[in-house]
């Protein structure tokens, strides 16, 4: 039996009946489709989404990149068992997907991209917005999505959709290969009718695998842990993807091995767990980084070992340090010349805990990191405290006010600027999914649309988008979407008049904060010091969001409480004080390699180069 439908109609019906299953939990794979319509998808997918609006929910976006961020936020909150599709028009609508696709693929988060494409039959050539490539007539702007997609296909004939759609679902549900998946859809093919086999539209369940450890690798891992005197776990995002938090908690309690976390892995243990020592690397805690410097075994669980995590190869100073890499992806399992343990994090941690059979680290080691952690928490308390509630808060005091308000049900979303460093060092996660930092790509503009995606996945949760002025100006547009659909996200908008994080980095490398502040400039290009008369709170209000302005710490506490209780999209706007006048956040605890000009006339760059050469001389290849 066959059913006659257009390609777009067939695709929508197919997507509506795809499911995932893991540990007995079944989820709809494609929960909804985001779209901005134009020529290239309005008559194809646009018509199909209207035709089957009862089977496939639709969300109207304002920016194509932001739609991908919303889908990614939804996918992460859904433990990669569900995601959204995103459809765009031909041309700039399609190329606007590239940044979001890169973010999804780098973070191993599934998202389905359905950009319109030029005519397959070429009745008009070139069509509006078509890129002409004289030496390759089959290239379109959608080919920019190839290097940032885990799977790419262009559907030039209706019958191509069947194998392509099945391959797309396979990749989306593969815990190793998942990321952005792109099906480019020529606009004429979308509207073309075809007789589809009925079984193409039957419900299909994709099992998300949990491979166990190889016995030989497991035995080697057990021996490595038993031989270590100063072991340290680094929990990465793979812990969350696997839902391995509970077994990691059991492993840490049983072995008493301290657990540090990457940005993606933070919250793998609650902040008050005895073995949790906080963030690792350039934005990490002093406790975790000191342990890393003396560790003789680093047990990476679901981490990619990025340069922030490893402090660009300078953090692990012990000459005898070795790495045990528990990772579902062989590519990551072999990094840093590590001993691989290729398996699902939850499965392997369960096996490893059992095989260690009560092995525990020395009491003296436990006492050492416990006391160091207590001293660090005292530093955080000092940064959070605001003895004078009627003054303008610092950024750490903003976080302190939020920390005092939230509980384990709140979710914090952030990605870029100075906030990730402050959060990684100081935030105290109360639940496995409270801390939602996108730091694989650290994409400015991610926060607001991703918060919408998180809220759609967990409508019962309070979801906070923590946004600096720089990242807000990148992409505030989805506020309109939140208002239109009544998605009650909370936006905490922090105004510090510039790119604070990059300004600090610029100063440290001899750049003297050039081009990093939002201030008037004189004819010679220097800053006059006067901030721009920009009112971001008014801007948010103009987009339909309720805005609460906070001028002091006292105001901030009241505004945050009011926003948390609100059932409509609400923004808390606060201008922060600089760290020059009151206690700022603890400085970076480890070095990060940002090359400095080898020759310069300005003294700031000369001094920065001298310091750079001292640090870079300690960089190490772990072989």
């Amino acid at each position: 039996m066959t059913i006659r439908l257009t390609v777009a109609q067939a695709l929508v019906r197919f997507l509506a009946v795809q499911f995932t299953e893991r540990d007995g939990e079944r989820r709809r794979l494609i929960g909804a489709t985001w779209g901005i319509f134009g020529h290239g998808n309005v008559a194809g997918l646009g018509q199909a989404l209207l035709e089957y609006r009862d089977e496939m929910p639709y969300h109207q976006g304002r920016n194509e990149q932001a739609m991908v961020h919303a889908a990614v936020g939804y996918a992460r909150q859904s433990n990669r068992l569900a995601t959204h599709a995103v459809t765009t028009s031909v041309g700039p609508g399609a190329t606007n997907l590239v940044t979001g696709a890169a973010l999804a693929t780098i973070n191993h988060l599934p998202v389905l991209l359905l950009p319109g494409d030029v005519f397959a039959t070429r009745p008009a050539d070139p069509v509006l917005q078509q890129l002409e490539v004289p030496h390759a007539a089959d290239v379109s702007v959608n080919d920019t999505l190839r290097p940032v997609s885990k799977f790419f296909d262009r559907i030039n004939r209706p019958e191509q959709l069947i194998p392509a759609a099945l391959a797309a679902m396979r990749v989306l549900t593969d815990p190793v290969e998942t990321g952005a998946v792109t099906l480019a859809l020529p606009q004429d093919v979308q509207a073309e009718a075809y007789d589809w086999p009925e079984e193409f539209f039957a419900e299909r369940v994709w099992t998300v695998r949990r491979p166990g450890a190889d016995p030989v690798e497991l035995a080697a891992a057990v021996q490595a842990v038993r031989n270590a005197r100063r072991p340290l776990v680094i929990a990465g995002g793979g812990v969350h993807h696997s839902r391995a938090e509970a077994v990691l908690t059991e492993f840490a309690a049983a072995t008493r091995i301290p657990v540090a976390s990457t940005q993606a892995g933070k919250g793998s243990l609650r902040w008050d767990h005895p073995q949790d020592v906080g963030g690792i690397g350039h934005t990490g805690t002093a406790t975790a980084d000191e342990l890393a410097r003396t560790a003789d075994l680093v047990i990476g669980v679901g981490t990619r070992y990025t340069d922030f995590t490893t402090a660009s190869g300078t953090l692990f100073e012990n000459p005898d340090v070795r790495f045990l890499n528990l990772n579902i992806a062989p590519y990551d399992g072999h990094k840093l010349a590590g001993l691989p343990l290729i398996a699902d994090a939850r499965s392997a941690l369960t096996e490893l805990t059992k095989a260690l059979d009560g092995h525990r680290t020395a009491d003296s080691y436990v006492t050492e990191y416990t006391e160091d952690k207590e001293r660090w928490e005292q530093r955080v308390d000092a940064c959070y405290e605001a003895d004078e509630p009627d003054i303008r808060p610092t950024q750490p005091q903003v976080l302190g006010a939020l920390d005092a308000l939230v509980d384990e049900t709140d979710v914090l979303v952030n990605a870029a600027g100075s906030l990730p460093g402050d959060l990684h060092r100081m935030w105290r996660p109360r639940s496995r999914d409270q801390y939602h930092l996108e730091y694989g790509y650290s994409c400015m503009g991610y926060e607001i649309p991703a918060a919408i995606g998180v809220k759609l996945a967990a409508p019962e949760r309070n979801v906070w988008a923590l946004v600096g002025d720089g990242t807000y100006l990148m992409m505030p547009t989805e506020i309109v979407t939140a208002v239109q659909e009544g998605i009650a996200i909370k936006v905490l908008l922090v105004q510090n008049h510039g790119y604070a994080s990059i300004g600090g980095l610029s100063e440290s490398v001899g750049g003297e904060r050039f081009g990093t502040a939002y201030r008037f400039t004189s004819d010679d290009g220097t800053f006059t010091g006067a901030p721009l008369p920009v009112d971001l709170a008014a801007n948010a209000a103009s987009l339909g969001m309720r805005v609460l302005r906070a001028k002091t710490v006292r105001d901030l506490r009241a505004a945050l409480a009011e926003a948390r209780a609100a059932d409509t999209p609400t923004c808390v706007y606060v201008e922060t004080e600089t760290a020059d006048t009151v206690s700022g956040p603890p400085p970076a605890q480890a070095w990060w390699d940002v090359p400095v000009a080898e020759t310069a006339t300005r003294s700031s760059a000369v001094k920065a180069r001298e310091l750079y050469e001292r640090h870079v001389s300690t960089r190490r290849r772990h072989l």
Side-chain angles (χ1 to χ4, degrees):
M1 296 289 292
T2 61
I3 302 174
R4 190 162 183 81
L5 301 170
T6 68
V7 169
Q9 292 165 354
L11 178 57
V12 171
R13 283 195 57 180
F14 170 83
L15 294 178
V17 292
Q18 305 304 303
F19 297 86
T20 59
E21 186 171 23
R22 184 177 67 178
D23 304 327
E25 178 186 359
R26 183 177 176 182
R27 293 285 304 269
R28 175 170 166 158
L29 176 56
I30 308 298
T33 297
W34 288 84
I36 297 176
F37 296 122
H39 86 94
N41 69 341
V42 66
L45 276 168
Q47 190 281 328
L49 288 166
L50 170 65
E51 187 95 5
Y52 299 110
R53 60 189 181 278
D54 294 334
E55 299 176 36
M56 176 60 69
Y58 169 74
H59 299 297
Q60 182 183 34
R62 268 74 193 177
N63 177 285
E64 291 86 357
Q65 181 188 140
M67 294 193 297
V68 186
H69 293 337
V72 167
Y74 181 90
R76 177 168 167 175
Q77 186 65 30
S78 302
N79 301 305
R80 304 196 300 182
L81 299 178
T83 187
H84 286 163
V86 178
T87 179
T88 70
S89 63
V90 173
T95 52
N96 280 351
L97 295 173
V98 173
T99 296
L103 181 149
T105 295
I106 286 170
N107 286 285
H108 300 293
L109 291 167
V111 62
L112 177 62
L113 308 180
L114 305 172
D117 212 326
V118 298
F119 285 82
T121 53
R122 302 181 191 174
D125 191 22
V127 71
L128 177 64
Q129 297 178 320
Q130 179 177 338
L131 171 71
E132 293 185 88
V133 182
H135 65 275
D138 62 341
V139 170
S140 80
V141 296
N142 285 332
D143 288 276
T144 60
L145 288 160
R146 288 182 183 271
V148 292
S149 297
K150 298 296 287 188
F151 178 80
F152 179 99
D153 201 355
R154 180 176 282 113
I155 312 303
N156 287 312
R157 292 290 308 138
E159 55 267 36
Q160 287 180 255
L161 179 64
I162 294 176
L166 293 170
M169 300 305 104
R170 173 186 60 80
V171 175
L172 288 172
T173 57
D174 188 317
V176 177
E177 292 299 320
T178 194
V181 168
T182 300
L183 296 181
L185 301 169
Q187 54 186 304
D188 52 344
V189 177
Q190 287 183 49
E192 187 174 344
Y194 183 74
D195 293 322
W196 305 91
E198 271 190 349
E199 54 264 38
F200 185 54
F201 307 111
E203 287 190 3
R204 193 179 301 266
V205 179
W206 302 84
T207 300
V208 179
R209 296 183 298 277
R210 283 197 183 279
D214 177 85
V216 174
E217 290 187 349
L218 180 62
V222 170
Q223 192 61 44
V225 175
R226 288 187 178 278
N227 291 341
R229 295 294 175 264
R230 299 184 63 83
L232 173 67
V233 169
I234 297 179
V239 175
H240 293 310
H241 296 329
S242 174
R243 287 302 307 268
E245 300 91 355
V247 294
L248 177 61
T249 299
E250 294 170 7
F251 173 84
T255 63
R256 304 193 300 182
I257 297 174
V259 177
S261 56
T262 67
Q263 287 279 16
K266 193 172 173 74
S268 295
L269 298 185
R270 273 184 58 106
W271 75 275
D272 53 359
H273 188 283
Q275 272 65 57
D276 180 74
V277 293
I280 187 79
H282 180 68
T283 56
T285 69
T287 307
D289 285 352
E290 284 303 314
L291 290 171
R293 291 184 177 96
T294 59
D296 57 359
L297 179 68
V298 176
I299 307 169
V301 183
T303 178
R304 298 185 297 123
Y305 289 115
T306 61
D307 63 340
F308 262 55
T309 304
T310 63
S312 299
T314 63
L315 183 58
F316 306 106
E317 297 178 356
N318 189 327
D320 298 320
V321 67
R322 292 295 180 265
F323 296 84
L324 168 61
N325 299 332
L326 195 171
N327 206 296
I328 198 169
Y331 179 81
D332 293 315
H334 287 272
K335 287 180 177 177
L336 299 175
L339 185 69
L341 184 58
I342 308 304
D344 168 74
R346 193 166 92 176
S347 299
L349 281 170
T350 301
E351 295 177 77
L352 188 58
T353 304
K354 182 178 179 180
L356 285 168
D357 191 25
H359 171 80
R360 292 159 69 87
T361 57
D363 291 344
S364 58
Y365 188 47
V366 176
T367 300
E368 175 189 335
Y369 68 70
T370 299
E371 292 177 350
D372 283 349
K373 177 180 176 178
E374 290 174 356
R375 285 189 288 270
W376 179 259
E377 293 302 335
Q378 291 170 5
R379 293 181 67 180
V380 174
D381 287 339
C383 291
Y384 277 0
E385 288 174 0
D387 296 330
E388 301 179 54
D390 293 317
I391 63 171
R392 180 186 295 174
T394 63
Q395 185 162 283
Q397 288 169 343
V398 171
L399 298 181
L402 189 60
D403 176 82
L405 177 71
V406 303
D407 62 27
E408 66 276 1
T409 65
D410 293 72
V411 180
L412 276 62
V413 182
N414 185 240
S418 58
L419 278 165
D422 290 355
L423 287 162
H424 198 207
R425 280 188 285 270
M426 296 189 293
W427 188 257
R428 294 161 169 166
R430 294 155 172 79
S431 64
R432 57 165 295 275
D433 59 355
Q434 180 175 81
Y435 189 87
H436 183 123
L437 261 285
E438 187 290 298
Y439 217 59
Y441 210 40
S442 188
C443 185
M444 296 176 72
Y446 173 83
E447 293 87 345
I448 293 173
I452 292 173
V454 172
K455 185 69 173 176
L456 288 171
E460 75 285 359
R461 308 282 291 272
N462 285 304
V463 182
W464 299 85
L466 274 56
V467 183
D469 50 0
T471 197
Y472 177 86
L473 287 168
M474 287 276 184
M475 201 172 295
T477 52
E478 299 314 304
I479 285 175
V480 178
T481 300
V483 171
Q484 175 177 306
E485 300 202 15
I487 304 169
I489 61 170
K490 329 292 182 184
V491 175
L492 176 51
L493 176 52
V494 180
Q495 169 67 279
N496 55 24
H497 300 290
Y499 301 121
S501 176
I502 297 301
L505 178 61
S506 172
E507 186 172 31
S508 71
V509 299
E512 302 176 31
R513 296 183 177 264
F514 177 72
T516 63
Y518 296 157
R519 297 182 183 275
F520 286 107
T521 56
S522 60
D523 291 340
D524 63 1
T526 59
F527 296 122
T528 65
L532 298 175
V534 175
D535 191 340
L536 299 184
N539 178 266
S542 75
L543 297 177
M545 187 168 246
R546 180 187 179 205
V547 177
L548 307 172
R549 295 176 183 258
K551 294 183 178 180
T552 67
V553 174
R554 192 188 307 276
D555 293 342
L556 177 64
R557 292 168 179 164
L560 290 173
E562 187 175 347
R564 189 173 186 270
D567 59 2
T568 57
T570 304
C571 173
V572 175
Y573 172 87
V574 60
E575 187 172 359
T576 57
E577 188 58 85
T578 66
D580 299 330
T581 55
V582 289
S583 176
Q589 304 299 309
W591 181 71
W592 178 42
D593 189 349
V594 177
V596 178
E598 192 169 359
T599 180
T601 58
R602 300 182 73 87
S603 61
S604 58
V606 172
K607 292 177 181 178
R609 179 67 191 191
E610 293 172 355
L611 181 61
Y612 174 80
E613 290 177 350
R614 287 200 296 271
H615 279 298
V616 81
S617 67
T618 67
R619 188 167 50 199
R620 177 180 176 187
R621 297 283 187 187
H622 293 281
L623 300 172

